[in-house]
Amino acid sequence: MAHQAQSDPLLRHMAAREIYIERQILGTYAQVRAIDARTGLEVSVTTPSNAAQFDQNRLALRKLGQCLIAQGHLVLADYGDNGAASSEKVGELSKSTPTSLPKGGIYT
């Protein structure tokens, strides 16, 4: 029986954003940075250098997505109370979002 992969709602929303990915190989490790162009938020992950680039990118994108959700810049209807977010809740989050980013906008 064939297994159907579940689509990740976070990565689906991240595909609609402009994101820069930078990779630096440091011996047996690779440091991958993902930067959101709209907010300037930057995250970095360290992975084995022989890991697949797809997996390295996916890890960095998921970390960036979680940080965007934590900052209030990204709201997913698939997450939250009973699987739905109201438009009022989205509006409240965008109004209360701080404009300053911690550590100069870099999560590590």
Side-chain angles (χ1 to χ4, degrees):
M1 190 182 314
H3 182 293
Q4 292 182 352
Q6 296 288 335
S7 64
D8 189 351
L10 178 60
L11 291 179
R12 228 180 310 125
H13 287 312
M14 295 298 290
R17 300 178 74 92
E18 183 178 2
I19 298 171
Y20 300 103
I21 295 182
E22 176 184 299
R23 183 176 294 103
Q24 183 178 14
I25 305 296
L26 305 167
T28 60
Y29 296 99
Q31 187 172 26
V32 182
R33 291 181 191 87
I35 306 161
D36 181 51
R38 188 180 306 159
T39 62
L41 186 65
E42 176 178 344
V43 298
S44 66
V45 294
T46 303
T47 64
S49 61
N50 61 355
Q53 283 187 2
F54 174 81
D55 292 331
Q56 292 175 345
N57 291 348
R58 185 175 52 134
L59 182 63
L61 286 174
R62 285 200 50 80
K63 184 173 181 180
L64 179 62
Q66 291 297 323
C67 291
L68 286 170
I69 289 171
Q71 290 284 315
H73 296 291
L74 182 65
V75 177
L76 301 180
D78 297 338
Y79 294 158
D81 301 330
N82 298 327
S86 68
S87 59
E88 295 172 2
K89 191 175 185 181
V90 171
E92 290 174 10
L93 280 174
S94 63
K95 289 178 186 174
S96 66
T97 302
T99 56
S100 63
L101 297 174
K103 296 184 187 176
I106 299 174
Y107 279 91
T108 56

